[in-house]
Amino acid sequence: MPTFPFTEADPIQYPGPPPNASEVVIVGGGIIGVTTALFLAARNIPVTLLEKGRVAAEQSSRNWGWIRKQGRDADELPIVIEASRLWRQLAEECGEDIGLNQTGVTYLANADKDMAKFEEFMRIAAIHELDTRLLDADETAKLISGMSRRFKGAMTTPSDMRAEPWLAVPALARLAVRKGARIVENCAARTLELSAGRVKGVWTEAGYIGASTVLVAGGAWSSLFLRRHGVAIPQLSVRVTTAATEPMPEVYSGAAADDHIAFRRRQDGGYTLAAGGSHLLYLGPDAFRHATQYLPALRDNPFGTRYFPFAPSGYPDGWSTPRDWAPDSASPFERMRVLNPASEPAKLRSIERNFKQLFPRFETVRLKAGWGGMIDAMPDVVPVVDRVQAVGGLFVATGMSGHGFGIGPGIGRVVSDMIQGNETGHDLSRFRLSRFYDGSPVRLGPAL
Ligand SMILES: Cc1cc2nc3c(=O)[nH]c(=O)nc-3n(C[C@H](O)[C@H](O)[C@H](O)COP(=O)(O)OP(=O)(O)OC[C@H]3O[C@@H](n4cnc5c(N)ncnc54)[C@H](O)[C@@H]3O)c2cc1C
């Protein structure tokens, strides 16, 4: 197992070379690209997945590992319900322990207004017959032992799950390869080759691949890749700091959060911790370009975002990051194999402090790791999953907005059917690309 977080120093598992042609090319080896490749390969469709760095080295291994239906946007729910079933099936098929456990997800309420918000979700939960329920203060204290604070109550969904992202996504990639997908790491897709308004292939740093269908599932890099071809998506990314404790006694076997602290039991007996609700946005040209589309999110949570005026060099929205390049010259993608932001030391300290304040009995437990991750977000906090109307054969599945791990296999299945021209079985109109340009008001999904 490579060290974590994965970096470009980790050994390449899929060296290539890429083929000269493939029916489908997928740009991006995160959970979305990997599961789409898996479902296409299962239907014997020749598919090649290109990953500029290492499979799952960006968001798909750095995330908290929550697989939740609870608190989801109403239009995402049917897909995440399917995803929960697929997680079980794929975990079996993998034949590896990916840490999948049905241990529940719980949101803790500090105030009546939190409980009122939970009530709103209860109406959606009832439509889908979820096992979500509200708890009073005593029931909450019983569910999570040893908390120093008494909460107003909680909302909990016992059927929600957890998995270890850094085990799960590489295992799913191995399964995809066993089913016939081709994966090439250390291989950036530089540009598309277009002819008469259609995709003809992809230029990579290792040569040209002829392909009639391309899926862009590049996480935080999708907007940069697509913009060069005249496809604009208002995607930004924010930095989040996460920490892991060493093994400690269990206080709750699932995942829980309030406004201050989020914690999730891990397979190794530790907890993965993060601060509730605050992230850092590095300002670059796209942040200004798309500012008006993000105003509703900003108004909804004015203090949730902190700002840093300069996106670091080489980042997707860096001031000096090139927006145009030739197919035969190095692109920004291969210049940054793995987007590996540092964790914020002050955040790590506050995460540790908040966790220990909530569980004073564990004053001596130490953090064993901390890492940063860039979450790719859309203005309405729901993804783009669509066929690009202006370019035949081009598909996009990105902007998972901080909750793409849990829903990942569901999106992968949906996109694989979309590519094959099959019915997807879900209403995807909420996730259409044109919503940002057809005069539709921004309809905010639930915040992270
Ligand atoms: C700290 C943190 C906590 C989170 N917690 C949760 C959680 O608990 N539950 C949940 O459901 N979600 C969570 N998320 C969100 C979840 O991790 C993401 O939504 C999901 O992993 C996105 O998957 P993806 O495949 O779209 O993108 P990514 O995992 O980012 O993968 C995209 C890949 O594309 C590659 N790529 C980009 N451009 C190119 C190119 N031109 N050529 C080749 N390769 C390219 C990149 O190198 C990258 O590996 C969290 C995210 C973070 C950062």
Side-chain angles (χ1 to χ4, degrees):
M1 193 66 209
T3 54
F4 181 77
F6 306 151
T7 68
E8 59 184 285
D10 288 304
I12 295 170
Q13 309 287 327
Y14 306 101
N20 296 327
S22 181
E23 194 167 323
V24 180
V25 169
I26 296 176
V27 178
I31 186 141
I32 303 301
V34 164
T35 53
T36 306
L38 194 159
F39 288 110
L40 286 169
R43 298 274 183 88
N44 296 319
I45 293 173
V47 54
T48 301
L49 182 151
L50 304 174
E51 168 50 57
K52 66 180 170 59
R54 303 292 181 273
V55 162
E58 296 196 346
Q59 298 175 84
S60 291
S61 62
R62 290 157 193 265
N63 69 69
W64 304 347
W66 297 34
I67 299 175
R68 63 177 171 86
K69 302 178 287 294
Q70 175 164 301
R72 284 269 171 182
D73 183 83
D75 291 289
E76 283 185 4
L77 247 184
I79 307 177
V80 80
I81 289 170
E82 180 184 350
S84 306
R85 186 176 53 72
L86 290 171
W87 269 112
R88 287 199 183 83
Q89 179 191 314
L90 295 173
E92 286 265 309
E93 281 185 49
C94 276
E96 300 179 43
D97 187 358
I98 61 168
L100 186 73
N101 276 292
Q102 184 183 308
T103 43
V105 160
T106 298
Y107 288 176
L108 299 160
N110 285 301
D112 290 336
K113 69 170 180 12
D114 299 326
M115 290 305 285
K117 238 176 159 175
F118 299 166
E119 293 277 6
E120 281 172 32
F121 182 74
M122 289 304 290
R123 281 195 287 278
I124 301 170
I127 296 169
H128 296 277
E129 300 180 355
L130 300 186
D131 57 344
T132 307
R133 60 178 202 274
L134 297 180
L135 306 181
D136 65 19
D138 287 344
E139 289 168 323
T140 304
K142 230 162 113 187
L143 182 71
I144 303 176
S145 58
M147 293 192 292
S148 61
R149 204 165 346 127
R150 198 166 157 78
F151 288 91
K152 284 267 171 197
M155 177 167 73
T156 190
T157 303
S159 63
D160 278 348
M161 297 187 285
R162 59 174 164 94
E164 305 306 339
W166 49 88
L167 299 178
V169 184
L172 293 174
R174 285 187 282 275
L175 180 62
V177 168
R178 288 203 297 279
K179 286 182 184 283
R182 194 147 172 182
I183 296 181
V184 190
E185 288 181 323
N186 229 41
C187 185
R190 287 177 173 167
T191 63
L192 299 172
E193 177 71 17
L194 306 177
S195 170
R198 278 204 63 81
V199 167
K200 262 186 71 190
V202 180
W203 289 100
T204 81
E205 62 180 299
Y208 180 70
I209 309 176
S212 56
T213 302
V214 173
L215 167 68
V216 177
W221 303 89
S222 301
S223 158
L224 184 65
F225 184 86
L226 288 166
R227 173 168 282 279
R228 197 187 161 285
H229 296 287
V231 180
I233 54 171
Q235 177 186 45
L236 298 177
S237 9
V238 293
R239 185 173 90 169
V240 172
T241 291
T242 305
T245 72
E246 57 190 8
M248 56 174 275
E250 184 169 300
V251 292
Y252 178 49
S253 60
D258 77 342
D259 307 340
H260 307 291
I261 186 81
F263 51 98
R264 196 265 298 173
R265 183 72 167 169
R266 281 195 319 276
Q267 187 85 329
D268 68 2
Y271 280 85
T272 294
L273 310 180
S278 145
H279 47 249
L280 183 66
L281 174 67
Y282 295 119
L283 298 174
D286 286 350
F288 289 97
R289 191 178 284 131
H290 304 310
T292 49
Q293 307 225 48
Y294 280 85
L295 282 178
L298 198 62
R299 271 189 225 110
D300 189 62
N301 184 10
F303 305 112
T305 306
R306 291 165 295 122
Y307 302 91
F308 189 78
F310 302 107
S313 166
Y315 272 42
D317 192 23
W319 288 98
S320 58
T321 301
R323 263 58 184 181
D324 196 12
W325 51 89
D328 59 355
S329 63
S331 71
F333 311 113
E334 65 233 64
R335 291 209 175 107
M336 186 166 289
R337 298 263 170 220
V338 177
L339 188 54
N340 182 20
S343 55
E344 287 181 81
K347 259 291 165 228
L348 287 175
R349 283 194 296 276
S350 71
I351 288 170
E352 186 173 9
R353 195 171 54 241
N354 288 344
F355 186 65
K356 289 182 175 174
Q357 269 170 9
L358 189 59
F359 297 104
R361 189 155 64 95
F362 301 114
E363 184 51 42
T364 55
V365 166
R366 284 180 323 188
L367 297 186
K368 69 169 193 182
W371 62 91
M374 298 300 292
I375 290 182
D376 70 322
M378 301 307 294
D380 48 7
V381 207
V382 292
V384 174
V385 181
D386 205 354
R387 166 193 293 275
V388 177
Q389 298 300 337
V391 183
L394 182 59
F395 294 79
V396 57
T398 198
M400 297 292 141
S401 301
H403 46 269
F405 177 66
I407 203 172
I411 300 282
R413 202 283 300 156
V414 161
V415 175
S416 85
D417 273 310
M418 205 185 241
I419 285 173
Q420 293 169 74
N422 300 335
E423 282 297 321
T424 63
H426 297 294
D427 177 2
L428 302 176
S429 51
R430 171 107 164 100
F431 313 118
R432 71 196 186 284
L433 181 56
S434 63
R435 71 187 190 266
F436 301 112
Y437 311 105
D438 63 8
S440 306
V442 174
R443 180 157 63 90
L444 279 185
L448 309 184

